Amino acid sequence: NAGVTQTPKFQVLKTGQSMTLQCAQDMNHNSMYWYRQDPGMGLRLIYYSASEGTTDKGEVPNGYNVSRLNKREFSLRLESAAPSQTSVYFCASSEAGERGRRTEAFFGQGTRLTVV
Amino acid sequence: AQKITQTQPGMFVQEKEAVTLDCTYDTSDPSYGLFWYKQPSSGEMIFLIYQGSYDQQNATEGRYSLNFQKARKSANLVISASQLGDSAMYFCAMRGHDYKLSFGAGTTVTVRA
């Protein structure tokens, strides 16, 4: 049971390069999320997708784009990487459900990205 | 906008003692869910416990319990009988309108033998 799979696990980019972080889930979840984690700042939401075909900005969307390719896959693209985007990136998925229902998110293993 | 606040950046606890991690939240939604996650040094995110805004009872999962005070908008995590393996970062999170899942800054717990 793979759960949420992120690729790659590690990446070093030069300033100005572009790349796409891939995420796929096999739990038939409607909601998917991208977060970045920086020391002392917890997980900050970059973008999320409540269902296939929809995406919404989170707290820190600048410099990123996303694509909800289908129900399984939600990719995060950095068009022109900057050193400030050095971080650990997590993808997560959850059932949509009603807001008060238990719908815990399942996380990928993370991608450690360094922009030099 | 929803906001999650964890005011304790780090805590030390003696093995076998209990520890309480604070979490307050701000939302105007009448219906929402509160979650706690554990992140050990290996980096994975582990779900611990859930509390729904309409739940009448405080949630419990083994050694984890949630002290939910809805009027005060607080959802503190209590870990009883701490073990060395409980040393980790702990995050409080809330899912409200638009199904957005937002996290606090986290609290680092170090369990001493």
Side-chain angles (χ1 to χ4, degrees):
Chain A
N1 189 0
V4 179
T5 303
Q6 282 182 242
T7 55
K9 288 188 169 48
F10 300 94
Q11 185 71 49
V12 178
L13 288 179
K14 293 183 178 178
T15 298
Q17 285 185 320
S18 63
M19 80 161 294
T20 300
L21 280 64
Q22 307 286 354
C23 176
Q25 51 93 8
D26 62 3
M27 294 171 283
N28 203 36
H29 286 162
N30 283 307
S31 299
M32 296 188 74
Y33 310 84
W34 275 106
Y35 295 90
R36 60 176 290 173
Q37 183 176 20
D38 303 293
M41 304 191 76
L43 277 77
R44 292 184 292 169
L45 184 64
I46 305 171
Y47 272 93
Y48 68 107
S49 171
S51 61
E52 183 180 356
T54 69
T55 60
D56 286 286
K57 295 179 180 179
E59 303 170 60
V60 289
N62 291 344
Y64 305 95
N65 286 302
V66 290
S67 295
R68 183 73 185 267
L69 304 168
N70 48 54
K71 194 171 186 180
R72 289 187 65 247
E73 299 171 287
F74 189 38
S75 62
L76 179 71
R77 182 159 178 84
L78 287 70
E79 290 291 350
S80 179
S84 60
Q85 293 178 305
T86 293
S87 188
V88 179
Y89 291 84
F90 285 97
C91 176
S93 72
S94 71
E95 292 181 1
E98 295 172 5
R99 288 190 292 273
R101 269 190 53 212
R102 171 177 165 167
T103 50
E104 72 266 30
F106 295 80
F107 283 78
Q109 292 299 303
T111 297
R112 188 171 295 274
L113 175 67
T114 303
V115 183
V116 298
Chain B
Q2 53 200 48
K3 182 177 170 61
I4 317 297
T5 302
Q6 295 179 254
T7 57
Q8 307 151 309
M11 297 186 71
F12 291 93
V13 60
Q14 206 64 31
E15 196 177 10
K16 299 181 185 175
E17 291 185 350
V19 61
T20 298
L21 308 184
D22 295 341
C23 173
T24 59
Y25 57 93
D26 186 23
T27 183
S28 55
D29 282 349
S31 177
Y32 51 89
L34 296 157
F35 306 82
W36 278 91
Y37 284 83
K38 172 184 179 181
Q39 186 180 44
S41 58
S42 52
E44 72 266 35
M45 294 290 289
I46 302 168
F47 166 73
L48 295 177
I49 195 166
Y50 166 80
Q51 179 83 45
S53 58
Y54 290 126
D55 293 344
Q56 296 297 311
Q57 307 267 359
N58 285 342
T60 60
E61 290 282 352
R63 293 187 298 109
Y64 304 108
S65 60
L66 205 151
N67 183 1
F68 180 48
Q69 298 185 48
K70 190 172 182 177
R72 297 181 59 188
K73 293 188 176 177
S74 85
N76 298 340
L77 177 71
V78 180
I79 306 173
S80 62
S82 295
Q83 302 172 356
L84 296 177
D86 294 333
S87 294
M89 179 81 85
Y90 290 82
F91 292 101
C92 179
M94 183 177 71
R95 191 175 195 212
H97 71 280
D98 294 337
Y99 306 104
K100 190 190 314 190
L101 180 63
S102 298
F103 284 78
T107 296
T108 301
V109 172
T110 304
V111 181
R112 289 169 164 160

